[in-house]
Amino acid sequence: MLTIKNLHASVDGTPILRGINLEVKAGEVHAIMGPNGSGKSTLASVLAGREEYEVTEGEVIFQGKDLLDMAPEDRAREGVFLAFQYPVEIPGVSSTNFLRTALNQVREYRGQEPLDAVKFLSLMKEKMKLVEIDQKLLSRSLNEGFSGGEKKRNEIFQMAMLEPTLSILDETDSGLDIDALRIVSNGVNQLKSDKNATIVVTHYQRLLDYIVPDYVHVLYKGRIVKSGTKELALELEEKGYDWIKEEVDSAAV
Amino acid sequence: MSTLTTQDTFEALLESAPQNFSELRAAGKAIYHSLGLPAAKEEEYKFTAITKKLEKTISDFRAASPFSISENQIKESLFKGFDGHVLVFSNGKFLPELSQSIEGIEISTLDIEVAEVGSIAKAEKDVFAALNQASFAGGISIKVPKKVQVEKPILLLSFNQANEGQVIIPRYWIEVGDFAEVTFMDQSIALGESPYFVNKVVEVKGGINSQINYFRLQDEGNQVLEVSNIETDVQADARFTSVNISVSGDMVRNNLSLNLLGSNCEGNMYGIYLLNGKSHVDNHTNVDHTIPHAESNELYKGIFDGQSRGVFNGKIFVRQDAQKTNAFQQNNNVLLSEDAIVNTKPQLEIWADDVKCSHGCTVGQLDEEALFYLQARGIDKTLAKGLLLYAFVGEVLEKIEDESFKNHVVELIQKRLGSKF
Ligand SMILES: Nc1ncnc2c1ncn2[C@@H]1O[C@H](COP(=O)(O)OP(=O)(O)O)[C@@H](O)[C@H]1O
Ligand SMILES: [Mg+2]
């Protein structure tokens, strides 16, 4: 589904991603872990198409298409979804209007009829249950005045509405209490199928108790320095990142 | 080449002014001559070099004569779903024969001398008000008697066209009695592409506890030069609300002044600039708190693309007696291009000590983070920009209490922003 080859990216001339290779197949869950500042969000942003990151080398193929060649909105319409680490508050834009616009834009791209107000609302009701999000929140401006947890829930709710093929969850777990974490993870797990894939970005192992990954990768200084199965996450939980840092840093000398 | 600063240019216009209101006109002329047109860098017109612009653009400084207008032209100009009364003007001249009479309201051309004309928008405050006072022709007087609630809005619909002369001098005298309620909509339609100069004065004398809305759309096209002076007296317990939407104009200067004269009154000034190309719009507002316990609210939002320029100057004057004043002012601007310019300035003069007064001016770019967020959900970039900008001006649109006017403005905005949502 997704093939990342030797991906390099920089911001304002400073290299941040320095040769990422990753292969994600349908039905898989990949966890990307790593200490703060290692480039996890940058990777997620590059995949979603944020313009301030300049790709200097490498390629990303998504379902046979050159992802890097597409505008952010086309990536979303092709089925890439980024749950933001820090969802933006947008005053004056109602959550409902926003979602309906987004959904119908995606549907149009896929050659589907736009949803009328009635069908849209019933779909919304159905998906709201999935993440136990309150209707009141959705009548407000997008993310405005939402608590951290509410924002994260709203991200997963949007994901449920848009039914992406590849979901990238950037630190969706951070800041959540156990109950919220369980609800959010539940939502993600229910949306999983053998046709879609998930990349879970986190620096805590805790989330992986709920969303069980098939593969775990450790990102450090812009490279994937270790890959393994969920046991690797447990090892990281126990030993921290220092041993990996030492391994990498001494090898580099 | 004319040399406006020597005051010769408008001489022909002054000479050919109608004979009525002779004292008023003479006074206006004297003030016009003593003030002179704004010189370059003159403080009040610092960012709006209207004199130079007039010199460059206008070649025939005589009054544009009225021309005939068809019923059909009027019909086609109305906002979709418009439900109200229409008063029609041709190059500033009120045309009673094409206008509807409105039950219970006295409407006449300003041929008949109304003693108080010039008592609110005083000539000495602005040279263009003086010029108008000296030279206006065929304006209108509208009197809404005491306690009359005009249920439907009154549209002041002007058709303008450079036509044997390029100067248009509308003058409106509006009187709203105690406890009366009325909504005005002010719109001008340009016929033809030639430039012209509109020098407009609107005086509104509101009674106690009156409720007056004045919604104005400036969408005449990019060949138009305009200076307007709109001034109102707001008496005790009354409310006056102005919403001014500017979407075009070569150079437009709006002087809007609210005199808060009675306690517990409320003066509101709202506006949107949505400009592109080389449009230049300058909103100079002035609210004068003369008495205690009055409230003023002001919110102008600007979106500037291309090489357009916006000027905002918001004066709040709180006199020593005006204790317990509440005055709010906000001007926020978004620049969509590197060549667009905004000059914004709050100008507060507060002589009372027990007042609540807040103000803020911002100039920024479109929020890139927000834009990316919308795009990342599949929303086309242009549409996403439209959504954000529409949300940005939404607070002002909410103030338009007439659906047809509001919807028309919304459509204009959506069209301009290249997005329908
Ligand atoms: N927009 C940016 N401008 C400048 N530096 C950035 C920007 N985004 C990320 N970086 C830098 O890139 C590195 C990786 O950041 P990030 O991808 O956010 O890491 P992570 O998500 O793993 O914590 C950090 O050193 C960070 O400071
Ligand atoms: Mg991060």
Side-chain angles (χ1 to χ4, degrees):
Chain A
M1 174 184 290
L2 179 78
T3 308
I4 303 176
K5 274 192 204 149
N6 192 31
L7 183 66
H8 290 250
S10 49
V11 84
D12 297 331
T14 310
I16 296 174
L17 301 184
R18 300 184 302 159
I20 304 258
N21 293 290
L22 185 66
E23 176 85 39
V24 178
K25 294 198 177 68
E28 293 178 349
V29 175
H30 288 244
I32 295 183
M33 303 185 68
N36 268 326
S38 57
K40 304 182 298 294
S41 290
T42 301
L43 176 60
S45 298
V46 167
L47 293 177
R50 189 181 287 246
E51 273 169 24
E52 57 189 304
Y53 298 97
E54 191 199 351
V55 174
T56 50
E57 226 184 303
E59 64 173 8
V60 179
I61 304 298
F62 176 65
Q63 295 187 313
K65 292 183 183 163
D66 180 358
L67 192 71
L68 299 178
D69 204 30
M70 290 181 215
E73 55 267 39
D74 285 338
R75 300 182 194 200
R77 295 161 179 178
E78 287 284 344
V80 176
F81 181 92
L82 170 62
F84 284 69
Q85 181 172 7
Y86 306 109
V88 189
E89 298 194 11
I90 309 187
V93 173
S94 89
S95 298
T96 313
N97 192 20
F98 152 73
L99 249 187
R100 190 161 163 217
T101 307
L103 187 61
N104 281 336
Q105 288 254 298
V106 170
R107 289 178 67 89
E108 190 184 330
Y109 183 86
R110 295 176 185 166
Q112 296 162 311
E113 288 286 302
L115 283 188
D116 62 30
V118 177
K119 285 199 185 117
F120 174 77
L121 279 178
S122 77
L123 181 69
M124 220 170 87
K125 287 230 170 72
E126 178 198 327
K127 302 294 186 183
M128 273 160 52
K129 283 193 207 120
L130 206 65
V131 284
E132 300 175 28
I133 197 164
D134 193 340
Q135 178 131 33
K136 273 195 217 110
L137 275 186
L138 299 177
S139 63
R140 304 219 306 243
S141 284
L142 185 51
N143 289 326
E144 195 182 31
F146 286 26
S147 70
E150 286 168 341
K151 283 180 186 163
K152 297 296 172 81
R153 253 188 239 200
N154 195 17
E155 293 294 288
I156 302 307
F157 167 62
Q158 291 173 28
M159 173 177 149
M161 290 293 288
L162 296 171
E163 300 183 322
T165 318
L166 174 69
S167 305
I168 305 159
L169 312 183
D170 191 1
E171 310 261 4
T172 300
D173 54 324
S174 44
L176 294 186
D177 59 33
I178 294 280
D179 283 340
L181 183 65
R182 199 178 288 131
I183 291 165
V184 164
S185 310
N186 242 326
V188 174
N189 287 331
Q190 286 186 53
L191 294 168
K192 257 181 5 191
S193 79
D194 55 2
K195 298 208 173 49
N196 59 26
T198 313
I199 297 176
V200 191
V201 174
T202 180
H203 64 274
Y204 301 118
Q205 182 275 337
R206 180 184 70 155
L207 174 67
L208 307 180
D209 290 341
Y210 298 90
I211 303 173
V212 182
D214 300 299
Y215 300 95
V216 174
H217 312 277
V218 180
L219 194 64
Y220 180 56
K221 289 191 172 168
R223 285 196 192 95
I224 289 177
V225 293
K226 215 171 194 65
S227 293
T229 55
K230 63 176 193 278
E231 279 70 34
L232 175 58
L234 292 170
E235 196 179 351
L236 289 168
E237 161 96 317
E238 210 172 290
K239 303 204 283 189
Y241 289 109
D242 285 351
W243 61 284
I244 291 190
K245 289 186 192 173
E246 273 160 32
E247 249 180 56
V248 175
D249 293 340
S250 63
V253 173
Chain B
M1 200 65 229
S2 54
T3 48
L4 286 183
T5 36
T6 64
Q7 314 310 318
D8 296 337
T9 311
F10 283 108
E11 229 36 59
L13 184 78
L14 294 168
E15 290 309 316
S16 60
Q19 300 299 311
N20 57 6
F21 290 99
S22 55
E23 269 176 51
L24 187 74
R25 290 181 194 279
K29 193 168 164 179
I31 294 166
Y32 167 76
H33 280 137
S34 76
L35 291 176
L37 290 174
K41 305 282 171 214
E42 185 171 315
E43 187 59 29
E44 277 298 303
Y45 282 83
K46 192 159 87 183
F47 299 114
T48 300
I50 186 70
T51 306
K52 206 168 124 202
K53 194 79 185 178
L54 285 166
E55 272 176 3
K56 260 177 52 186
T57 315
I58 301 299
S59 50
D60 185 347
F61 282 86
R62 289 173 303 156
S65 44
F67 55 97
S68 67
I69 291 156
S70 69
E71 298 270 0
N72 221 26
Q73 275 173 306
I74 297 170
K75 225 178 272 162
E76 278 170 13
S77 309
L78 301 180
F79 308 134
K80 213 184 293 162
F82 172 79
D83 182 18
H85 313 283
V86 188
L87 304 178
V88 181
F89 300 79
S90 170
N91 278 349
K93 184 178 165 53
F94 172 50
L95 303 178
E97 63 280 12
L98 284 177
S99 303
Q100 298 153 352
S101 60
I102 309 168
E103 211 188 305
I105 300 180
E106 287 172 47
I107 296 172
S108 66
T109 59
L110 254 192
D111 298 331
I112 305 140
E113 301 204 9
V114 175
E116 286 172 288
V117 168
S119 65
I120 295 175
K122 294 196 179 71
E124 54 271 21
K125 283 204 226 164
D126 181 79
V127 66
F128 291 99
L131 179 64
N132 178 295
Q133 180 171 313
S135 61
F136 71 91
I140 194 171
S141 158
I142 303 173
K143 293 185 181 173
V144 180
K146 219 169 157 171
K147 292 190 196 162
V148 169
Q149 184 187 15
V150 187
E151 300 240 352
K152 292 180 178 176
I154 299 174
L155 174 63
L156 306 159
L157 182 63
S158 303
F159 292 88
N160 293 334
Q161 183 175 31
N163 177 344
E164 296 175 48
Q166 296 173 294
V167 183
I168 298 168
I169 320 133
R171 179 134 199 150
Y172 304 164
W173 170 260
I174 297 171
E175 233 176 285
V176 180
D178 298 347
F179 304 97
E181 292 175 24
V182 61
T183 291
F184 293 99
M185 298 194 250
D186 180 335
Q187 193 201 3
S188 297
I189 312 265
L191 303 175
E193 312 269 287
S194 330
Y196 53 78
F197 172 54
V198 178
N199 178 21
K200 180 170 185 163
V201 172
V202 178
E203 292 176 278
V204 182
K205 185 187 175 192
I208 58 168
N209 213 128
S210 60
Q211 309 268 323
I212 306 168
N213 290 318
Y214 200 94
F215 303 144
R216 184 171 183 221
L217 174 61
Q218 295 185 296
D219 178 27
E220 271 176 89
N222 284 336
Q223 78 278 30
V224 176
L225 307 185
E226 174 164 8
V227 176
S228 64
N229 279 282
I230 299 182
E231 184 152 355
T232 178
D233 283 351
V234 189
Q235 303 294 350
D237 304 311
R239 187 180 59 186
F240 179 90
T241 300
S242 158
V243 182
N244 198 101
I245 314 284
S246 307
V247 302
S248 67
D250 183 356
M251 184 175 275
V252 173
R253 164 65 171 256
N254 299 315
N255 294 320
L256 173 66
S257 301
L258 271 48
N259 305 314
L260 306 187
L261 303 178
S263 67
N264 195 39
C265 73
E266 183 183 323
N268 303 312
M269 299 181 280
Y270 304 113
I272 292 174
Y273 312 65
L274 177 63
L275 303 180
N276 57 15
K278 290 186 172 175
S279 281
H280 177 130
V281 173
D282 176 350
N283 281 304
H284 257 64
T285 65
N286 181 14
V287 57
D288 186 357
H289 283 263
T290 67
I291 37 74
H293 293 286
E295 180 176 319
S296 64
N297 300 293
E298 177 163 30
L299 177 65
Y300 274 77
K301 297 249 187 174
I303 300 173
F304 301 90
D305 204 348
Q307 293 164 269
S308 63
R309 181 165 191 171
V311 181
F312 175 83
N313 191 96
K315 189 166 179 183
I316 300 177
F317 197 82
V318 182
R319 300 194 190 201
Q320 200 166 359
D321 289 342
Q323 300 296 357
K324 306 284 178 191
T325 283
N326 273 324
F328 303 97
Q329 180 188 91
Q330 190 73 235
N331 170 233
N332 310 112
N333 302 287
V334 174
L335 301 179
L336 296 181
S337 96
E338 287 188 3
D339 297 321
I341 302 176
V342 168
N343 304 100
T344 173
K345 187 176 138 201
Q347 202 184 337
L348 310 185
E349 271 188 58
I350 298 172
W351 299 97
D353 46 35
D354 186 10
V355 299
K356 255 200 244 160
C357 188
S358 71
H359 65 95
C361 297
T362 62
V363 182
Q365 266 99 37
L366 193 65
D367 183 348
E368 292 290 331
E369 293 273 320
L371 184 61
F372 178 67
Y373 189 84
L374 298 181
Q375 282 181 274
R377 294 296 176 258
I379 300 177
D380 170 77
K381 188 171 185 175
T382 309
L383 183 58
K385 272 189 184 173
L387 271 173
L388 292 175
L389 292 171
Y390 183 71
F392 173 70
V393 296
E395 243 179 302
V396 174
L397 292 171
E398 279 169 22
K399 309 295 183 188
I400 304 174
E401 289 171 16
D402 178 88
E403 285 307 307
S404 74
F405 187 89
K406 183 156 90 186
N407 291 339
H408 182 79
V409 172
V410 168
E411 265 180 41
L412 266 178
I413 293 175
Q414 292 185 339
K415 211 157 97 194
R416 178 66 64 81
L417 299 174
S419 54
K420 184 117 190 78
F421 36 84

